[in-house]
Amino acid sequence: MTSQSVTTAAASSSGPSRQTIFVGILLVLALAAPFAVYPVFLMKGLCFALFAAAFNLMLGYVGLLSFGHAMFFGWSAYITAHAAKEWGLTPEIAILLGTFCAAGLGAVVGWLAIRRQGIYFAMITLALAQLMYFVALQAPFTHGEDGIQGVPRGHLFGLIDLSDTMNMYYFVLAVFVLAILFLYRVVHSPFGQVLKAIRDNEPRAISLGYQVHRYKLIAFIISAGLSGMAGSVKSLVFQLASLADVHWHASGEVVLMTLLGGVGTIFGPTAGAYLVVTIQNYFASAGSWVTIIQGFIFVVCVLAFRAGIVGVFAPWLKKRGIEA
Amino acid sequence: MGDDFIVETKNLTKEFKGFVAVSDVNLKVRRHTIHALIGPNGAGKTTCFNLITKFLPLSRGTITLNGRDITNTAPADIARLGMVRSFQISAVFGHLTALENVRVALQRKLGTSFQFWKSDKSLAELNDRAEELLVDVGVQEYRDIPAGELSYGRKRALEIATTLALDPEMLLLDEPMAGMGTEDVARTAELIKRVSKDRTILMVEHNLSVVADLSDTITVLKLGKVLAEGPYSEISQNPEVIEAYMGHGVGSHA
Amino acid sequence: MRNDSGALLKVDGLEAWYGESHILHGMKFDVHQGEVVTLLGRNGAGKSTTMRSIMGMVAKRKGSVSFDGTETIAMNSNKIARLGVALCPEERGIFASLNVKENMVLPPVVKPGGLPLSEVYELFPRLAERANSQGTKLSGGEQQMLAIARILRTGATMLLLDEPTEGLAPVIVQHIGDIIRKLKERGFTILLVEQNFHFAATVADRHYVVEHGHVIDMIPNADLQANMGKLKGYLGV
Amino acid sequence: MMTLFGIPTAALFGQLLLGLINGAFYAMLSLGLALIFGLLNIINFSHGAQYMMGAFVAWLGLTYLGANYWVALALAPVIVAAFGIVLERTMLSRLYKLDHLYGLLLTFGLALIIEGFFRQLYGISGMPYAVPKELAGGWNLGFMYLPIYRAWVVFASLVLCVGTWLLIEKTKLGAYLRAATENPALVQAFGINVPVMITLTYGFGVALAAFAGVLAAPIYSVNPLMGSNLIIVVFAVVVIGGMGSIMGSIVTGFMLGILEGLTKVVYPEAAGTVIFMVMVIVLLIKPAGLFGKGA
Amino acid sequence: QYSENKIKIGVLTDLSGTYSDLAGKGAVLAAQMAVEDFGGKVNGVPVEIVSADHQNKADIASSIARKWYDAEGVDAIAELVTTAAAVAVREVSKEKGKIDLVSGAASTPLTNDKCSPTGFHWTYDTYALANGTANAVVKTGGKSWYFLTADYAFGHNLQAQTERVVKANGGEVKGAVKHPFPNSDFSSFLLQAQSSGAQIIGLANAGADTINAIKQAKEFGITQGGQSLAGLLVFITDVHSLGLETAQGMMLTTGYYWNRDDETRAWSKRWSAKMDGKMPSMVHAGTYSSVMHYLKALAAAKTDDGVKVADQMRALPIKDASGFAVNGKIRADGRMVHDMYLAQVKKPSESKGPWDYYNIVRTIPGDDAYQPLAESTCALVKK
Ligand SMILES: Nc1ncnc2c1ncn2[C@@H]1O[C@H](COP(=O)(O)OP(=O)(O)OP(=O)(O)O)[C@@H](O)[C@H]1O
Ligand SMILES: Nc1ncnc2c1ncn2[C@@H]1O[C@H](COP(=O)(O)OP(=O)(O)OP(=O)(O)O)[C@@H](O)[C@H]1O
Ligand SMILES: CC(C)C[C@H](N)C(=O)O
Ligand SMILES: [Mg+2]
Ligand SMILES: [Mg+2]
């Protein structure tokens, strides 16, 4: 996998680092955004951004392309929706439940798939995802085409009313920021170091005594769990869990978002997610033109901006001591 | 002690689809010696390494390390038991810097490698030791360069430093000098000699002067079988070895 | 010494670049029909680049390379090959997706008069034994043999051998020496890149010394002993 | 009456035969895909779109130029291949040195554009295309009524598959192609015009897709989405067969067609999923696929 | 008063997928025609049409609806082909107290469990389809049935409704096979239907699935073998795509036929002029009719408050230029009840020109066609 993992020995300038300032600015923008932009759109972007970031852990840092991540995203959404609607669980519990189920599913899928590489890994994850899609299609509680509709957003910790859009937005933003911080930590941890080593040269890592499959499996579980979390949150935002989120198109979409944004970067998946969501949003009434425009953008990106959106800016940022 | 065997193989055999690459090799590597494995191309030297470190499953035979049967042990676990190998084709972590390469090896002993919640700054305590190792192999100038950008010879040196970082009691080196310039060869030979003090080394090498210089015992393989074994003085006189490997002396080593 | 006009391969003012880096700065040398000529030089002097430029495999190149009277500097490598030039590359170039036999017969016959397959196998019996193995599953040395063997069939009469002895057991190195001499007897013309001048001395007629993309000296093999000191100086041994 | 799986054996024969016919399409499509995928290392996501174009070219030819089925069968693959060659020359050829992913992304984008374009022009309901007179009607086989056209599809597909297999395996073309994906510069230095060879091979793979498209036109309506519904299954076929294995994709294509046919009888809802079930099992047991070499 | 001094009607439909021909941009056009015919303004307030593609997916439909209501001041959403999308939008509309005018979706839950005080089901539903087609078929002797059913909510619903009618008329159901949706190869299912020995093969599917099934039935000689096909939901666009040669003789139920009388012809030709000579499906006409009626109710209510407008819609008589909704009235469950037509596809020789496809066999009065209000499970129906 072509990845632009930037491994600068943390630029050590005194005071708050440029990285912190940069992230701070982004955060302020994110806090102010719902006053300027339709919040549900922002939330949708955040959900997909989290999904793409979680996926990127596998593609960008382990070097494995999963083509079945929608199963975590979509199934977690179903579980959260069902828990919130039928069992009346509070949103945070419902989301955690979805996340853990996705991680559990990730453990099983990962266990089966992790020994394979490259296209075989992609295909076996795809195949398993298709099986899970089939289950979703046939299981009664998912309500087929209709999906689970009218999911209550509920009260966060039994207190904060999430049916208020602004409350919901800040809740989603908080989940997103925490999850991204967590991912950043995973990548920049002793564990992350070993992951990078494994991606670079697996036999060598084995010869140094690392049980590489365990590392990959843990990474896969984390990735699956966070993908699930993204799906869970999305099901509350839209009050709906549907087949579209378990379909292979969703798996494909997250690959696109990540590649368009920049593989193996921290901000790339977010940028890619917003690009794709924006295209879909702006051209919703254009009918088949949407697909034409989308296709055109992919083609242009592949031919001209291969490192992704963030990849284009990365050198500029790097010069200023910021990791993209 | 000093006189016992750290690694022993019995009837070590590897068959690839109807072709025997290694056949009934009984190898005994004496503790705290340098043992060389030589032989013509395709004799099965690298395959032996792959078998001993379990990078390939055996067809038959047993392997013991410190008297313990490791025939069915996973490769990563073998490394954990203190037997570490290098590769014939240089094996570094291309996107990590030279320092990080060495540190990845040091890091294992820290026991925090599964801790994805901990900052990687916690690894800084290993930097001093890592730098010492870089100095040992003479690549300290390149500590912050991604290993993929180093020249071939330096990659080999870095690889040795990484291997040594594990502080293994048993080292398997596959053609450590291949691709190195003359001056690097000398330094590396020196280093191998130095680290062999309290370690055991099994090494494959085509550079006969290095082999002659370093090794206590030599095993010659041919067509997967042991052809001869003994010190250099003995081996180099063996007509079969001359016939199969050394040839009649013209231009064999520069 | 034969005179230049009769040279089979004539390189003059050859310059070559990899991207922006200028590697060859006006290489000039020639190889006569039936001769074995070596290029000696330190790591990175530009020997392999010269070979690749002759073969048309370096995208940006200038100057003149003429083979058998045909100017090839602007030709694509497939055209050059069809003139009867073949390369055994330094990284061996064995194809992992083909087995040994397929690797062996891969290069198309460009001219009549190449060695028949049976003779190639006679020269390298080991390859016949391993004919059905995957190419890259061969040991390093076996791969080297395969790389040489496969260009003998093609009918190319000019062979470019880039470090054919690298990684080989001493006895095989000698074997390769024998083969080069045999090929020479059969009328092949050989340009050889070598680091090991002891070996080169046993097969070559003349030696060119390359440094920084220039030829800095030419030593006939007969004068080699006399010039040993000078040569060692060039090569930094 | 004998029964198996609770259905009369006669009916079962019918189902097997139908499976075989479907398998013929899988085989043809996966053959082209395997060729491009295994030999050129391009994951050709626009294969489905190119299949659809084959059908559309046939339909357009008939509607606007009065070109009959046989003309379409001969010319549509050429026309679509020419289009494919343009794509290869102008875009794909820039990606060979990069990870496969980029080829996938590019061809995926192209597929979206092509399909969107046809949707924009011709809507979605599909265009009727009549079975050619020569092949109309059917034979009563006793256990079922077999339309002659379907028999022709199986026949044409078998001929095509075997022909392609011979071309790739029995001539050196296959070896050249495989070698060229690994080290094009060296293969070229052996005297082979690699870029032209790759372009033509891509064109050939595309032509196979278009040919299948023309064969499909009289059976299914000519519809802009006819390919995108199929492509993912065809990928599965290639992977199960073993990537790069021409024989693998042919045999697997027919085999999975039959298996799917049986599933339609036993558990029809799962017919679309059974292939993936097989894929999981195969990849777990034989990681390189049924006919794949190495892992 | 009207919020933001503007009326906005969203046409949310399938602009690119399987149903884009029978609904799609033709429905957007129909809505626009309604606005123009109404004069472009309601009590001086301008009316605007916006449109979007829901790609037949519930999640996209729901998120667009939400965006329209929240951020773009949309007052009502029309068309809504595909049950899943319609139900998803119904959910949002109900929450926001906005009007939805379902035209394209078919399933009965829209006026049963999923009914809403501000939601309307305009053009047809599976109950009416079954009543029309299945009744006619059973009465002409097609007593034993086998179903090919699209494996999703709509298919199940259509099959269930049809079974009800078949059994009520003394017919028998020999079996059913659920096929994946969408599906292109029906031969296997047809063969199963054939070996069941049923007289009638009921196609509980729609669009491309129905077309493919019919074509392939012909190919496999199913009809020669004495069995008949009953397309339970067939649009005129489907007939067009099949061609009369293949489709002739088929019975179908529709809520609209462009060539029925002068009024329908006049309106349809206006529509057709902007659609490259195609003729409108019942969904197109239904969309026009529902939007027109909504505008009238807006004018009468003098507000865009959903509940009040909905009350006006129930109160006002339904009549518009398309000739749709003959004897139309809106019930408490949101069902717009109107006459339906049992039609038979013409032979090629009978057809007098392009798109002249149907003979109307019988007019089914609305009250006979649709589910009686008493049977509705809608919570709004007082029992
Ligand atoms: N995976 C494999 N499959 C089939 N044959 C193999 C495989 N690996 C090695 N071989 C064969 O086994 C034999 C021994 O190979 P090995 O690499 O051990 O030789 P070596 O002694 O290391 O030679 P060299 O000095 O050239 O590196 C060779 O003939 C090789 O072709
Ligand atoms: N693909 C490449 N891109 C950029 N620079 C290159 C490339 N290949 C070689 N070089 C550079 O060109 C110079 C000459 O290389 P070349 O391979 O011709 O040397 P050589 O004389 O064959 O050395 P050696 O004995 O190590 O094989 C070196 O400085 C090398 O770093
Ligand atoms: C046939 C379609 C227009 C109806 C749609 N499938 C539904 O679910 O209602
Ligand atoms: Mg070796
Ligand atoms: Mg070189």
Side-chain angles (χ1 to χ4, degrees):
Chain A
M1 284 333 71
T2 346
S3 57
Q4 277 67 39
S5 74
V6 189
T7 43
T8 32
S12 48
S13 50
S14 54
S17 73
R18 283 167 186 270
Q19 181 91 27
T20 321
I21 296 172
F22 180 71
V23 171
I25 294 174
L26 288 182
L27 209 56
V28 170
L29 284 178
L31 287 171
F35 295 99
V37 184
Y38 177 49
V40 177
F41 166 75
L42 291 173
M43 288 191 270
K44 182 177 181 188
L46 286 175
C47 293
F48 279 103
L50 175 53
F51 184 22
F55 168 82
N56 183 40
L57 180 68
M58 283 316 283
L59 181 58
Y61 297 95
V62 186
L64 287 175
L65 171 76
S66 158
F67 208 80
H69 254 50
M71 71 181 130
F72 309 121
F73 187 71
W75 267 96
S76 182
Y78 275 129
I79 288 163
T80 300
H82 189 77
K85 187 174 176 186
E86 305 295 333
W87 302 337
L89 296 189
T90 53
E92 70 285 354
I93 306 282
I95 289 175
L96 283 180
L97 185 68
T99 307
F100 279 112
C101 289
L105 182 60
V108 177
V109 171
W111 183 77
L112 289 171
I114 214 78
R115 274 151 227 280
R116 308 274 170 263
Q117 266 149 10
I119 198 82
Y120 292 102
F121 180 82
M123 283 295 151
I124 204 159
T125 45
L126 167 70
L128 289 166
Q130 289 294 97
L131 299 186
M132 291 307 292
Y133 176 79
F134 179 69
V135 178
L137 192 62
Q138 297 296 329
F141 89 96
T142 60
H143 300 287
E145 298 291 305
D146 294 353
I148 306 180
Q149 305 199 341
V151 180
R153 284 182 183 169
H155 287 68
L156 184 61
F157 307 120
L159 297 171
I160 306 163
D161 183 6
L162 292 183
S163 59
D164 178 278
T165 310
M166 282 300 177
N167 289 348
M168 188 69 195
Y169 174 77
Y170 289 113
F171 170 60
V172 175
L173 182 63
V175 170
F176 173 78
V177 170
L178 288 178
I180 293 289
L181 285 178
F182 175 69
L183 277 172
Y184 181 85
R185 173 39 44 88
V186 171
V187 171
H188 296 269
S189 69
F191 175 76
Q193 243 343 254
V194 178
L195 279 188
K196 284 180 208 158
I198 292 173
R199 185 197 51 191
D200 272 1
N201 193 333
E202 184 166 331
R204 183 56 174 155
I206 297 174
S207 82
L208 295 181
Y210 289 109
Q211 292 116 325
V212 298
H213 293 317
R214 290 195 205 167
Y215 288 85
K216 290 188 192 174
L217 183 58
I218 291 175
F220 194 82
I221 293 173
I222 295 175
S223 172
L226 290 181
S227 300
M229 182 179 278
S232 291
V233 174
K234 186 185 170 224
S235 75
L236 291 186
V237 171
F238 287 101
Q239 306 182 266
L240 173 79
S242 76
L243 279 177
D245 292 338
V246 266
H247 197 265
W248 69 265
H249 281 166
S251 296
E253 227 158 55
V254 77
V255 180
L256 293 174
M257 289 172 178
T258 310
L259 287 172
L260 292 180
V263 183
T265 61
I266 304 280
F267 300 111
T270 305
Y274 271 98
L275 176 67
V276 172
V277 171
T278 309
I279 295 174
Q280 289 169 350
N281 196 45
Y282 272 92
F283 297 103
S285 60
S288 16
W289 286 109
V290 191
T291 45
I292 299 181
I293 292 163
Q294 239 180 19
F296 188 74
I297 290 177
F298 297 153
V299 168
V300 170
C301 281
V302 172
L303 291 178
F305 309 109
R306 220 160 282 136
I309 305 168
V310 166
V312 175
F313 296 109
W316 183 85
L317 290 170
K318 196 177 171 186
K319 242 188 260 161
R320 285 156 185 78
I322 299 165
E323 177 182 346
Chain B
M1 302 213 297
D3 215 40
D4 61 340
F5 298 107
I6 177 164
V7 170
E8 272 182 72
T9 70
K10 284 216 179 65
N11 303 329
L12 194 62
T13 301
K14 179 70 193 176
E15 288 165 3
F16 294 111
K17 282 202 199 106
F19 161 80
V20 188
V22 171
S23 120
D24 284 323
V25 169
N26 297 308
L27 199 63
K28 293 180 170 188
V29 182
R30 203 177 292 274
R31 194 180 299 279
H32 297 166
T33 61
I34 299 182
H35 190 130
L37 199 55
I38 65 172
N41 300 103
K45 305 179 293 294
T46 301
T47 307
C48 268
F49 267 34
N50 284 333
L51 294 175
I52 294 174
T53 51
K54 294 305 307 296
F55 271 67
L56 281 175
L58 319 194
S59 302
R60 261 192 310 285
T62 56
I63 309 168
T64 56
L65 173 66
N66 282 323
R68 169 180 172 165
D69 189 337
I70 56 162
T71 313
N72 294 310
T73 308
D77 295 329
I78 288 183
R80 292 161 166 265
L81 290 172
M83 176 156 76
V84 179
R85 64 171 304 183
S86 73
F87 290 82
Q88 183 167 359
I89 298 146
S90 86
V92 293
F93 304 116
H95 289 91
L96 304 186
T97 65
L99 185 83
E100 285 172 324
N101 262 271
V102 178
R103 220 171 54 183
V104 163
L106 291 170
Q107 178 187 342
R108 212 194 71 213
K109 294 251 165 70
L110 224 49
T112 62
S113 295
F114 281 113
Q115 300 185 354
F116 51 77
W117 54 88
K118 202 167 185 169
S119 167
D120 55 6
K121 302 225 169 65
S122 65
L123 298 175
E125 58 172 284
L126 302 173
N127 287 359
D128 292 343
R129 175 73 191 122
E131 262 178 75
E132 273 172 41
L133 285 158
L134 291 180
V135 172
D136 278 347
V137 297
V139 294
Q140 67 279 16
E141 298 164 48
Y142 308 99
R143 56 165 274 176
D144 292 327
I145 309 262
E149 291 171 22
L150 298 180
S151 77
Y152 188 74
R154 309 216 189 285
K155 279 186 195 151
R156 303 294 321 212
L158 177 60
E159 203 191 330
I160 293 175
T162 307
T163 309
L164 289 176
L166 292 177
D167 196 14
E169 70 173 307
M170 172 82 206
L171 259 161
L172 282 73
L173 305 176
D174 198 353
E175 301 199 25
M177 317 291 185
M180 285 191 189
T182 338
E183 122 191 14
D184 292 329
V185 169
R187 194 194 27 241
T188 308
E190 178 58 31
L191 177 70
I192 291 176
K193 207 171 217 163
R194 184 146 46 89
V195 303
S196 73
K197 285 285 178 301
D198 42 7
R199 289 195 176 80
T200 313
I201 293 176
L202 177 64
M203 153 172 113
V204 172
E205 187 51 66
H206 283 305
N207 189 326
L208 281 183
S209 57
V210 171
V211 172
D213 194 30
L214 288 182
S215 49
D216 302 302
T217 314
I218 298 173
T219 299
V220 186
L221 283 186
K222 183 194 168 191
L223 293 175
K225 293 203 174 67
V226 176
L227 180 68
E229 192 168 89
Y232 185 77
S233 50
E234 209 175 282
I235 291 293
S236 59
Q237 301 309 317
N238 183 323
E240 272 183 294
V241 175
I242 293 174
E243 167 73 30
Y245 182 68
M246 296 189 181
H248 298 279
V250 200
S252 54
H253 51 279
Chain C
M1 194 100 318
R2 275 164 271 198
N3 92 40
D4 277 8
S5 58
L8 180 66
L9 176 73
K10 204 158 138 42
V11 174
D12 198 356
L14 179 62
E15 299 189 47
W17 290 260
Y18 287 120
E20 289 305 299
S21 40
H22 196 171
I23 307 293
L24 300 185
H25 305 265
M27 291 282 296
K28 178 171 162 55
F29 64 93
D30 44 51
V31 185
H32 294 269
Q33 173 69 48
E35 235 186 344
V36 176
V37 168
T38 62
L39 299 179
L40 300 174
R42 298 185 195 213
N43 282 350
K47 306 180 296 289
S48 299
T49 307
T50 305
M51 296 285 219
R52 295 166 53 83
S53 302
I54 294 171
M55 207 61 243
M57 297 166 76
V58 177
K60 195 171 167 196
R61 51 188 200 274
K62 247 172 59 179
S64 161
V65 175
S66 83
F67 177 73
D68 208 5
T70 312
E71 177 58 55
T72 65
I73 192 77
M75 281 188 187
N76 280 336
S77 59
N78 53 316
K79 292 267 172 53
I80 299 174
R82 298 269 164 193
L83 297 174
V85 188
L87 171 74
C88 168
E90 83 184 316
E91 69 283 14
R92 294 170 191 154
I94 302 301
F95 297 100
S97 51
L98 305 182
N99 68 24
V100 170
K101 184 154 174 220
E102 286 169 320
N103 265 287
M104 180 75 100
V105 298
L106 183 80
V109 171
V110 294
K111 285 201 163 168
L115 299 190
L117 199 55
S118 54
E119 254 180 77
V120 177
Y121 279 131
E122 250 166 59
L123 288 174
F124 300 98
R126 185 82 181 134
L127 295 180
E129 287 164 34
R130 310 285 289 120
N132 293 317
S133 303
Q134 189 191 331
T136 45
K137 293 258 165 85
L138 292 185
S139 83
E142 290 165 342
Q143 291 186 33
Q144 187 63 280
M145 298 179 207
L146 179 54
I148 299 175
R150 69 176 167 197
I151 58 173
L152 301 179
R153 286 179 46 253
T154 63
T157 48
M158 170 95 221
L159 307 182
L160 311 178
L161 308 181
D162 197 349
E163 300 199 35
T165 63
E166 201 247 44
L168 295 189
V171 68
I172 310 224
V173 173
Q174 292 155 30
H175 183 53
I176 300 268
D178 294 339
I179 287 169
I180 292 177
R181 280 185 292 273
K182 260 189 219 155
L183 292 174
K184 183 182 158 155
E185 276 164 31
R186 287 173 177 261
F188 283 93
T189 308
I190 295 173
L191 180 63
L192 181 70
V193 165
E194 260 304 330
Q195 302 241 357
N196 183 340
F197 58 82
H198 295 294
F199 171 74
T202 64
V203 293
D205 300 313
R206 291 187 294 137
H207 310 274
Y208 285 98
V209 182
V210 185
E211 200 171 290
H212 295 307
H214 298 95
V215 171
I216 53 166
D217 202 353
M218 194 277 281
I219 306 172
N221 200 44
D223 307 345
L224 194 63
Q225 284 315 319
N227 288 299
M228 214 40 151
K230 192 163 78 171
L231 185 60
K232 286 195 171 173
Y234 289 143
L235 302 181
V237 180
Chain D
M1 196 158 49
M2 294 235 316
T3 62
L4 208 71
F5 305 124
I7 26 170
T9 33
L12 197 63
F13 276 135
Q15 298 293 355
L16 287 176
L17 192 58
L18 290 173
L20 190 75
I21 297 167
N22 274 338
F25 282 102
Y26 289 153
M28 270 183 294
L29 284 174
S30 59
L31 175 65
L33 203 64
L35 195 75
I36 297 175
F37 201 27
L39 300 180
L40 305 186
N41 258 347
I42 306 165
I43 302 175
N44 187 32
F45 221 101
S46 47
H47 210 71
Q50 284 150 347
Y51 160 80
M52 176 271 286
M53 283 176 78
F56 256 97
V57 169
W59 178 80
L60 289 170
L62 185 68
T63 314
Y64 295 106
L65 305 173
N68 73 19
Y69 175 82
W70 301 104
V71 176
L73 202 57
L75 287 187
V78 177
I79 294 168
V80 181
F83 173 79
I85 283 175
V86 172
L87 295 184
E88 196 275 343
R89 277 293 83 206
T90 51
M91 300 182 205
L92 276 170
S93 59
R94 296 156 184 251
L95 302 179
Y96 290 146
K97 293 201 187 74
L98 307 170
D99 195 281
H100 307 337
L101 261 180
Y102 291 101
L104 179 111
L105 203 61
L106 181 86
T107 48
F108 180 72
L110 290 173
L112 288 183
I113 298 177
I114 297 169
E115 276 170 11
F117 182 75
F118 277 90
R119 250 147 78 163
Q120 195 62 29
L121 286 181
Y122 301 104
I124 203 80
S125 298
M127 310 294 176
Y129 191 96
V131 171
K133 274 190 289 310
E134 297 83 347
L135 300 175
W139 296 309
N140 200 330
L141 302 182
F143 57 89
M144 75 174 288
Y145 177 87
L146 177 66
I148 293 174
Y149 187 79
R150 300 247 176 175
W152 152 248
V153 166
V154 175
F155 172 76
S157 151
L158 276 175
V159 169
L160 196 69
C161 288
V162 171
T164 308
W165 180 76
L166 288 175
L167 178 70
I168 301 295
E169 297 293 327
K170 297 296 159 197
T171 69
K172 269 167 68 184
L173 182 65
Y176 287 153
L177 284 168
R178 272 175 281 155
T181 39
E182 279 184 54
N183 189 344
L186 185 59
V187 174
Q188 178 138 13
F190 286 152
I192 294 158
N193 195 335
V194 172
V196 169
M197 183 181 74
I198 288 185
T199 305
L200 289 179
T201 306
Y202 184 77
F204 184 68
V206 173
L208 284 175
F211 187 85
V214 182
L215 282 182
I219 297 188
Y220 314 116
S221 54
V222 178
N223 163 342
L225 293 185
M226 63 195 286
S228 68
N229 295 333
L230 217 56
I231 184 82
I232 197 96
V233 172
V234 175
F235 266 122
V237 171
V238 173
V239 171
I240 295 170
M243 283 181 321
S245 166
I246 300 294
M247 196 39 122
S249 59
I250 298 171
V251 174
T252 312
F254 280 104
M255 224 166 59
L256 288 179
I258 292 172
L259 185 67
E260 200 187 44
L262 287 181
T263 319
K264 281 181 181 161
V265 181
V266 185
Y267 185 16
E269 293 93 323
T273 310
V274 69
I275 288 181
F276 296 97
M277 220 114 68
V278 173
M279 180 151 116
V280 172
I281 295 166
V282 167
L283 287 188
L284 289 177
I285 297 170
K286 279 206 80 186
L290 293 178
F291 293 75
K293 298 180 202 142
Chain E
Q1 269 318 309
Y2 304 106
S3 56
E4 293 161 18
N5 248 331
K6 187 154 201 175
I7 308 289
K8 247 194 201 179
I9 303 170
V11 179
L12 187 51
T13 183
D14 172 7
L15 286 170
S16 57
T18 330
Y19 301 131
S20 57
D21 287 348
L22 66 91
K25 65 179 181 207
V28 181
L29 172 65
Q32 255 148 6
M33 283 169 65
V35 172
E36 278 159 30
D37 292 356
F38 195 78
K41 287 195 161 86
V42 176
N43 295 335
V45 175
V47 183
E48 189 192 337
I49 297 284
V50 293
S51 64
D53 183 7
H54 62 41
Q55 299 170 33
N56 300 320
K57 288 183 193 147
D59 61 326
I60 299 183
S62 135
S63 73
I64 292 175
R66 204 174 278 282
K67 181 179 76 170
W68 276 354
Y69 291 146
D70 286 349
E72 296 179 13
V74 167
D75 300 292
I77 297 182
E79 207 291 288
L80 295 167
V81 73
T82 296
T83 306
V87 172
V89 172
R90 169 69 50 90
E91 207 77 50
V92 181
S93 307
K94 203 151 98 179
E95 178 191 325
K96 311 264 174 194
K98 304 278 185 175
I99 302 261
D100 65 72
L101 306 158
V102 177
S103 217
S107 308
T108 46
L110 284 164
T111 51
N112 287 282
D113 321 349
K114 306 280 182 194
C115 73
S116 131
T118 53
F120 301 90
H121 198 186
W122 208 263
T123 308
Y124 69 105
D125 64 20
T126 52
Y127 192 103
L129 294 172
N131 259 4
T133 313
N135 241 324
V137 172
V138 180
K139 292 213 171 107
T140 54
K143 293 278 183 202
S144 62
W145 286 60
Y146 189 94
F147 290 99
L148 300 195
T149 305
D151 190 17
Y152 72 113
F154 153 76
H156 301 170
N157 186 259
L158 185 52
Q159 182 194 331
Q161 295 297 345
T162 312
E163 279 191 20
R164 177 184 54 80
V165 174
V166 170
K167 285 181 187 148
N169 285 293
E172 150 195 38
V173 176
K174 292 216 161 177
V177 57
K178 288 183 195 158
H179 67 76
F181 166 78
N183 183 48
S184 54
D185 182 46
F186 284 88
S187 48
S188 163
F189 304 121
L190 287 165
L191 207 63
Q192 290 178 52
Q194 195 173 33
S195 40
S196 76
Q199 292 163 291
I200 305 294
I201 301 173
L203 302 178
N205 50 22
D209 283 350
T210 309
I211 294 174
N212 278 327
I214 293 173
K215 278 176 71 169
Q216 290 166 19
K218 187 175 178 209
E219 194 191 346
F220 280 87
I222 302 277
T223 33
Q224 283 102 299
Q227 290 174 303
S228 313
L229 290 175
L232 299 170
L233 173 51
V234 177
F235 292 92
I236 196 160
T237 40
D238 301 334
V239 174
H240 182 69
S241 157
L242 279 166
L244 287 186
E245 186 60 43
T246 311
Q248 58 184 305
M250 202 164 52
M251 300 289 250
L252 56 90
T253 304
T254 182
Y256 187 79
Y257 176 47
W258 71 274
N259 206 4
R260 191 172 56 84
D261 61 22
D262 289 339
E263 196 178 21
T264 56
R265 268 189 292 275
W267 183 82
S268 299
K269 290 205 168 123
R270 277 205 288 141
W271 184 90
S272 176
K274 294 186 181 158
M275 289 295 291
D276 310 326
K278 291 178 196 146
M279 282 299 168
S281 72
M282 63 170 152
V283 174
H284 298 135
T287 305
Y288 175 89
S289 168
S290 62
V291 170
M292 183 58 94
H293 190 67
Y294 171 68
L295 292 170
K296 287 180 186 162
L298 269 178
K302 302 198 167 54
T303 167
D304 55 8
D305 176 88
V307 179
K308 291 192 182 127
V309 176
D311 288 344
Q312 281 298 335
M313 286 179 72
R314 290 197 176 82
L316 289 172
I318 305 171
K319 175 83 187 108
D320 59 68
S322 67
F324 191 88
V326 178
N327 301 320
K329 59 174 190 263
I330 300 172
R331 300 191 313 207
D333 59 357
R335 177 70 251 167
M336 201 283 271
V337 172
H338 58 98
D339 291 356
M340 298 290 286
Y341 308 97
L342 182 67
Q344 185 166 33
V345 178
K346 289 184 172 175
K347 295 196 184 72
S349 58
E350 291 173 308
S351 170
K352 293 199 199 63
W355 295 87
D356 177 28
Y357 291 158
Y358 295 168
N359 287 316
I360 302 287
V361 179
R362 194 164 80 82
T363 299
I364 310 166
D367 289 326
D368 296 346
Y370 288 96
Q371 181 189 31
L373 192 57
E375 286 174 20
S376 174
T377 59
C378 172
L380 301 166
V381 180
K382 289 174 205 76
K383 299 248 166 94

